[in-house]
Amino acid sequence: MKTKVAIIGAGPAGSSAAIALSKKGIPNILIDKRETVGIPVQCAEFVGLNINSYVDLSNIPSAVNQKIKFMDIDAGKNIYRFDGKGYVLNRAVFDWHLAGEAVKAGSKLLTSARVYKINRQKNSIEVLNAKEKILYEIYYDYLIAATGPKNGFVSPKNSAYIYAVQIKADLLKKLDSVICYFRAYIPYGYGWVFPKGEFANVGIGIEKPASDMPLSLSFDKFLSEIRNAGLIGSEIIEKTSGLVPVSGLNEIIDGNIALCGDAAGLTHPVTGAGILSAVISGGMAGDYAAESIEASHNLFEDYKEELKSVFKKPLFNAAKKRSELYPLMKDASGIEENIKRLWPSFDEYYK
Ligand SMILES: Cc1cc2nc3c(=O)[nH]c(=O)nc-3n(C[C@H](O)[C@H](O)[C@H](O)COP(=O)(O)OP(=O)(O)OC[C@H]3O[C@@H](n4cnc5c(N)ncnc54)[C@H](O)[C@@H]3O)c2cc1C
């Protein structure tokens, strides 16, 4: 099989790249190992209002689980409230919609298709279709790697991760805020309760190996605290886990291969947010791949420079904050003293 651009991963980054390419009439193939795009959801699903500048949520029925007004930072003794307008998405619907938009615009979508090898000399990828048990090779001019956090077989690689675990639970009190909890028993990370109507995403993330606290122990403590506060019910409706890269921006390109989204290390090293940057970077990677084909000249260096101009400084600052401040927050007093310098909602973060 031959295509102009192959895209590995139909998350928000890969689908945004495919949309950009197809809108410019460039043949592309979007490949995902999952049977159904977007499932299982491994995300707490919060995005700020500015997502609408890139994806018009009002056009996607059921993509929003709940509108959010505030962000609450619970530092133990004090709870700080900020304007936090945004949405808790239905990521399964959101991701499926983006991939569907790509297909409508002309992309070819392959699901249950795992890319397991990149042949750089041949400009091809080897793909295993898990359902039909067939192997095939796809030749490309350009490759976009939107493989998400665990981008092991693509280089450059992410080097540090938050390990996250999350449940969906019944929400017993109506909430119009997303709540982030900083606790000494969640070292190098935080816990969250993000409401979605009658339910909530409740999770924690801890950086490994920086912290040797077992994730399950922290999570049990967190669930006990939140249940004892009467916020959520005891039933676990769904459980998920995942990785969040926190090493900051990667090298981004390697010849005719461009990375975007989590694969490029674009999640915010302090908050772990990555949906919006996946959409933005995927769109940019698609645009530059299309321009490269139109110009018969590799323009990925320009993609790299533009991406760096948008993301490098904020991600570098956040990675620095993460490495300097989280180690100081290993006990409750450390949290109170340092939280304002750590979290980007506080003015002190920028000083
Ligand atoms: C528990 C948790 C909570 C989070 N909460 C939030 C939040 O509230 N807000 C926020 O903004 N961000 C959050 N994030 C981060 C957010 O989920 C990611 O930043 C976002 O999904 C990145 O999009 P992406 O397209 O780069 O990667 P992904 O969404 O991970 O998509 C990558 C796709 O590539 C496919 N793939 C990977 N390897 C291959 C292969 N070899 N062959 C074929 N297909 C492949 C995968 O199946 C997947 O579909 C959270 C992450 C976790 C783990």
Side-chain angles (χ1 to χ4, degrees):
M1 213 184 290
K2 248 186 130 178
T3 185
K4 289 283 179 200
V5 186
I7 304 154
I8 317 174
S15 292
S16 301
I19 292 169
L21 283 155
S22 289
K23 282 190 172 163
K24 292 188 169 155
I26 306 291
N28 64 90
I29 302 181
L30 179 61
I31 306 151
D32 205 291
K33 63 186 178 189
R34 295 180 177 189
E35 191 177 343
T36 307
V37 169
I39 296 175
V41 173
Q42 293 169 290
C43 184
E45 304 177 294
F46 176 69
V47 275
L49 276 188
N50 43 359
I51 187 74
N52 280 308
S53 305
Y54 302 89
V55 182
D56 182 3
L57 290 178
S58 64
N59 266 339
I60 318 175
S62 320
V64 173
N65 271 316
Q66 183 180 328
K67 285 189 179 167
I68 298 296
K69 285 188 184 160
F70 306 106
M71 172 170 283
D72 293 335
I73 302 299
D74 184 329
K77 245 197 262 161
N78 294 304
I79 300 173
Y80 305 90
R81 170 158 283 199
F82 299 96
D83 181 353
K85 289 191 189 67
Y87 311 93
V88 174
L89 295 173
N90 181 334
R91 267 294 297 272
V93 171
F94 180 78
D95 285 22
W96 176 248
H97 171 86
L98 290 183
E101 286 294 293
V103 171
K104 262 196 255 164
S107 304
K108 186 175 166 71
L109 173 66
L110 302 178
T111 52
S112 301
R114 177 189 290 270
V115 178
Y116 65 91
K117 195 172 175 194
I118 302 174
N119 299 313
R120 279 157 208 271
Q121 274 80 25
K122 286 162 70 185
N123 283 336
S124 74
I125 45 176
E126 292 176 34
V127 185
L128 171 68
N129 185 308
K131 261 188 164 171
E132 294 159 30
K133 305 260 183 298
I134 354 172
L135 292 174
Y136 45 93
E137 199 163 357
I138 299 176
Y139 291 83
Y140 57 79
D141 291 349
Y142 292 92
L143 180 66
I144 294 179
T147 43
K150 223 177 163 195
N151 61 342
F153 74 110
V154 183
S155 65
K157 298 173 177 47
N158 291 314
S159 59
Y161 292 104
I162 281 178
Y163 288 64
V165 56
Q166 177 180 279
I167 61 163
K168 177 179 172 185
D170 290 312
L171 185 63
L172 305 180
K173 287 178 184 167
K174 206 170 154 34
L175 282 182
D176 54 7
S177 61
V178 284
I179 314 176
C180 299
Y181 296 81
F182 287 84
R183 296 290 183 268
Y185 66 77
I186 316 177
Y188 294 87
Y190 68 94
W192 61 85
V193 175
F194 289 3
K196 38 191 210 177
E198 293 170 6
F199 305 104
N201 290 330
V202 183
I204 63 164
I206 293 182
E207 186 181 340
K208 298 278 177 194
S211 164
D212 53 11
M213 171 76 92
L215 194 59
S216 57
L217 185 70
S218 280
F219 196 38
D220 286 348
K221 282 192 178 191
F222 183 57
L223 288 180
S224 297
E225 181 182 334
I226 302 303
R227 283 177 183 140
N228 290 340
L231 203 52
I232 60 165
S234 55
E235 194 190 341
I236 294 176
I237 299 166
E238 279 167 18
K239 191 166 184 176
T240 188
S241 58
L243 293 176
V244 182
V246 290
S247 34
L249 200 57
N250 266 333
E251 267 306 305
I252 312 164
I253 60 165
D254 183 1
N256 59 348
I257 303 176
L259 281 66
C260 55
D262 276 17
L266 288 173
T267 34
H268 192 279
V270 171
T271 65
I275 300 170
L276 181 61
S277 47
V279 169
I280 295 172
S281 61
M284 279 165 64
D287 281 340
Y288 276 99
E291 283 174 33
S292 299
I293 283 161
E294 282 159 1
S296 303
H297 171 64
N298 184 344
L299 295 169
F300 278 176
E301 274 296 335
D302 296 350
Y303 164 64
K304 177 176 158 181
E305 289 314 310
E306 191 177 336
L307 203 72
K308 276 165 76 176
S309 74
V310 179
F311 291 104
K312 191 177 173 186
K313 201 171 164 203
L315 293 185
F316 176 80
N317 286 341
K320 200 159 171 273
K321 297 263 176 189
R322 157 165 284 284
S323 67
E324 287 173 3
L325 295 175
Y326 269 117
L328 305 177
M329 294 173 60
K330 282 206 264 172
D331 60 48
S333 62
I335 293 170
E336 290 298 340
E337 278 166 27
N338 294 294
I339 186 67
K340 293 185 180 170
R341 289 191 293 144
L342 176 82
W343 194 261
S345 307
F346 294 94
D347 290 341
E348 287 84 342
Y349 176 90
Y350 302 92
K351 282 177 189 157

